[in-house]
Amino acid sequence: MSNFGIQGQLLEITVVGCNKLKDTEWISRQDPYVCLEYGSNKFRTRTCTDGGKNPTFQEKFVFTLIEGLREVNVVVWNSNTLTYDDFIGSGKVQLQKVLSQGYDDTAWPLQTKTGRYAGEVRLILHYSNAKKPETGFAPSAPPYVAPSAPQFSLYSAPPPVSAGPPYPSPATTYPAPSPAYPAPSPYPSYPPNSGTYPPSPYPPPPQPSAYPPQPYPPPSAYPPPPAGYPQPPPQASPFYPPGPYPGLYPPPPRY
């Protein structure tokens, strides 16, 4: 980015216009113009009639650069017909930026002879032989690339198993739970041993007989009724229907 060796090179300066100039007229509008001076080279713009405080010029001038001279003098005047021109303001344009970057469009301030603000002049400077800086720089180290996480398919295969389980594996066998009730035996049960139980204070109930029950004893087997107890009526014979008259009947004939 060196600007050495500018001797004899060309510098283009375009006078765009002025802003907020000090007004030197009391009745009519002022007619400003701009003068540029670089070494022994002097240029003047046309007069902007009735330009007032914000004249516009849009004029370009070419200067031959001089080694060691890094500024251009600019002066703004008000043109008069009958009297001398009125001084509005002056300033200095620095060339360091345009010589290093090749372009400068700064607005430069103007001052009166007493150092007061007198407005500004807008210039566009262009230098085609400037050594522009490189737009890119090679990195000192390769860029960091984050390692990509391993990608696993959701359906094709399960993810790989790690070298060791992060947590202890649970026990593979457990004791069989004890049954709450004993399992039923496939064989018929037998009566318990009566010898292991104490004798019962009550007699055992009568066991039913395999034969038909014995008939009741005949009436003669009962004890006689006490004295004075009325005798039961005689039993009717099963072979004859009951008659209207009491008494004994002869036995039935034998066959």
Side-chain angles (χ1 to χ4, degrees):
M1 201 165 60
S2 174
N3 52 22
F4 294 102
I6 63 173
Q7 182 67 35
Q9 302 293 332
L10 300 180
L11 174 65
E12 295 180 357
I13 299 178
T14 301
V15 181
V16 179
C18 299
N19 298 321
K20 302 178 183 179
L21 292 179
K22 183 187 70 170
D23 196 354
T24 58
E25 295 288 345
W26 294 94
I27 301 175
S28 61
R29 295 172 62 91
Q30 63 184 0
D31 305 320
Y33 62 92
V34 179
C35 294
L36 299 177
E37 181 179 353
Y38 179 73
S40 59
N41 298 324
K42 296 180 181 181
F43 295 94
R44 177 187 183 278
T45 65
R46 61 175 176 83
T47 300
C48 183
T49 305
D50 294 333
K53 295 182 180 181
N54 301 297
T56 301
F57 302 100
Q58 293 293 344
E59 295 186 37
K60 181 170 66 174
F61 306 95
V62 179
F63 292 86
T64 301
L65 293 175
I66 301 173
E67 189 68 41
L69 187 58
R70 297 290 190 273
E71 64 181 17
V72 175
N73 296 326
V74 55
V75 182
V76 180
W77 298 85
N78 175 37
S79 177
N80 291 320
T81 304
L82 302 178
T83 60
Y84 295 103
D85 294 345
D86 299 323
F87 175 81
I88 297 177
S90 64
K92 293 184 180 295
V93 178
Q94 303 299 325
L95 304 181
Q96 282 81 1
K97 181 178 179 180
V98 66
L99 294 179
S100 60
Q101 300 182 11
Y103 184 83
D104 187 4
D105 59 350
T106 307
W108 302 92
L110 301 174
Q111 294 181 352
T112 63
K113 294 180 179 179
T114 59
R116 295 183 179 182
Y117 178 76
E120 62 184 14
V121 58
R122 175 74 181 276
L123 305 177
I124 295 179
L125 290 75
H126 181 259
Y127 178 56
S128 59
N129 294 329
K131 295 181 180 179
K132 298 181 181 180
E134 297 293 335
T135 57
F137 298 92
S140 57
Y144 172 77
V145 178
S148 60
Q151 302 294 330
F152 301 105
S153 174
L154 297 178
Y155 304 99
S156 61
V161 181
S162 58
Y167 303 98
S169 59
T172 57
T173 59
Y174 298 92
S178 60
Y181 301 95
S185 174
Y187 303 99
S189 61
Y190 295 93
N193 188 6
S194 62
T196 59
Y197 298 94
S200 174
Y202 302 99
Q207 298 293 332
S209 176
Y211 300 96
Q214 296 293 332
Y216 291 99
S220 60
Y222 292 97
Y229 189 83
Q231 293 294 330
Q235 298 292 332
S237 175
F239 300 101
Y240 296 94
Y245 304 102
L248 297 175
Y249 294 89
R254 297 179 178 273
Y255 298 100

